[in-house]
Amino acid sequence: MELTTVWFALIAVLWVGYFTLEGFDFGVGMLLPVLARDDTERRVMINTIGPVWDGNEVWLLVAGGATFAAFPEWYATLFSGFYLPLLLILVALIVRGLAFEYRHKRDDVAWRARWDLAIVVGSAVPAVLWGVAFGNILRGVPIDADKEYVGGFFNLLNPYALLGGVTTLLLFLTHGAMFIALKTDGPIRHRARALATRLGLGAAVAAVAFLGWTQLDTGTTASAVAFVGAAVALLAGVAAATSGREGWGFLGTFVAIALGVAGLFLALFPDVMPTSLADGTTLTTTNAAATAYTLRIMTVVAVVFTPVVLVYQGWTYWVFRKRISTHHIPASTDPGRTPTTPTAPAGSATP
């Protein structure tokens, strides 16, 4: 197998990791005003993702870095053409990170309400725009013979890409509700489980429409298998959550998102960014790739460091694996605490 194909597959795996992991903490953030009835329950929800949300973003950083190094033409065209939506995503992620760190710095209702709003907006904007961005990558955008994007911002707001944004929004909401049901106990757990069932059905409708459209336009046999598997996994996850099996429910949405994203990359290959212009240039794994020497060096680095990152992140999830409920939350907030500060022994739920 050529190294260009290997690195296309590795970048696809990085995006699968990013959407499956960051997807549920986007969902938790968006559901903050929906599932929590008071500040204590909001703190329970935030603490379910407190130890892991920043680690989940590492997948995005590595995916961006790998694209820059392995496919510089793809990176340059993508980031110049999608400059505004990617800037909005970046700002949203920064604001969201600030909200997690500063929400508990002051014991004031108005202060916390403003940061809660920042968490909701900072989670919703990327959840929608990532779907819009990938929809446009698959559909094709105006790229001229010099490999430069020549469209405008509103070219990106077409029906197919907007459907992609709705799909990722609903999938991440469902994934987040499944995660809250899995990680909490008490009334919030039951509310999350009931909401996950309703959201899951809506997500299934949107996902079938978006993935079906993708399959008709650019799909292959491999992508069709992945899309069917994603639909089955999503419906199985919803059924499991309905019967009270939160672990299987979360696994169902996890596998559904993983197979859905994998199917999108299978439908895209060997292109990395098709052109919609008759006289334009479609970027492929061949004409957008770096030199063979660069790819060989990157492969050695990836073989050495990827297992280290995977082991470290797996250990993080294992340490904070238990459920959290309102009785883990102190009655008053100690200004200066962050959501990630543990107050109980490792392995137990922490506020």
Side-chain angles (χ1 to χ4, degrees):
M1 182 182 293
E2 295 181 358
L3 282 179
T4 53
T5 304
V6 169
W7 273 98
F8 179 86
L10 288 175
I11 289 171
V13 169
L14 290 169
W15 281 107
V16 167
Y18 177 65
F19 282 128
T20 52
L21 296 177
E22 186 90 307
F24 71 75
D25 67 53
F26 282 152
V28 172
M30 289 186 284
L31 292 173
L32 200 60
V34 178
L35 289 175
R37 296 292 183 264
D38 54 33
D39 184 64
T40 303
E41 290 192 344
R42 283 190 286 274
R43 291 167 64 192
V44 168
M45 290 180 63
I46 292 172
N47 276 282
T48 61
I49 57 173
V52 298
W53 70 268
D54 48 356
N56 294 341
E57 292 187 350
V58 170
W59 291 81
L60 173 62
L61 298 176
V62 178
T67 304
F68 171 76
F71 300 102
E73 293 284 358
W74 184 13
Y75 182 92
T77 304
L78 176 65
F79 277 76
S80 61
F82 293 9
Y83 179 79
L84 184 54
L86 293 178
L87 178 64
L88 290 174
I89 290 173
L90 178 62
V91 171
L93 293 177
I94 292 173
V95 170
R96 180 169 170 269
L98 288 173
F100 285 137
E101 297 297 331
Y102 280 88
R103 184 184 186 278
H104 296 272
K105 296 293 184 183
R106 185 182 298 175
D107 197 2
D108 177 77
V109 174
W111 171 271
R112 289 182 176 179
R114 284 193 288 271
W115 286 120
D116 287 345
L117 178 62
I119 292 173
V120 175
V121 175
S123 301
V125 169
V128 174
L129 291 184
W130 279 131
V132 173
F134 271 80
N136 278 293
I137 290 173
L138 284 154
R139 173 177 175 264
V141 291
I143 301 173
D144 66 13
D146 295 323
K147 302 178 182 176
E148 294 184 359
Y149 178 80
V150 293
F153 172 74
F154 291 102
N155 289 86
L156 305 178
L157 303 180
N158 53 81
Y160 173 73
L162 293 175
L163 178 59
V166 171
T167 302
T168 51
L169 175 69
L170 291 174
L171 280 174
F172 292 164
L173 282 168
T174 307
H175 202 31
M178 293 285 190
F179 186 74
I180 296 169
L182 177 65
K183 285 288 294 178
T184 62
D185 209 350
I188 192 170
R189 171 187 177 185
H190 301 296
R191 288 197 295 270
R193 193 168 62 201
L195 183 62
T197 301
R198 295 195 296 272
L199 286 171
L201 296 175
V205 172
V208 167
F210 178 66
L211 298 181
W213 194 339
T214 303
Q215 182 63 28
L216 290 175
D217 275 357
T218 60
T220 62
T221 302
S223 66
V225 172
F227 292 156
V228 171
V232 171
L234 180 57
L235 293 175
V238 172
T242 304
S243 61
R245 299 177 178 178
E246 291 103 345
W248 287 106
F250 179 72
L251 180 63
T253 53
F254 188 98
V255 173
I257 294 173
L259 289 177
V261 177
L264 295 180
F265 276 91
L266 288 170
L268 183 64
F269 183 80
D271 298 341
V272 295
M273 204 161 178
T275 182
S276 60
L277 301 178
D279 57 349
T281 299
T282 288
L283 298 180
T284 68
T285 54
T286 301
N287 66 13
T291 64
Y293 177 76
T294 300
L295 295 178
R296 285 197 296 272
I297 295 294
M298 290 176 60
T299 303
V300 172
V301 172
V303 168
V304 172
F305 289 102
T306 300
V308 176
V309 175
L310 292 177
V311 168
Y312 174 77
Q313 192 157 35
W315 175 79
T316 304
Y317 277 90
W318 176 255
V319 168
F320 296 98
R321 66 189 180 279
K322 293 191 176 180
R323 292 183 183 272
I324 305 172
S325 62
T326 52
H327 73 267
H328 291 107
I329 304 297
S332 61
T333 303
D334 177 14
R337 286 189 59 223
T338 68
T340 59
T341 304
T343 58
S348 63
T350 59

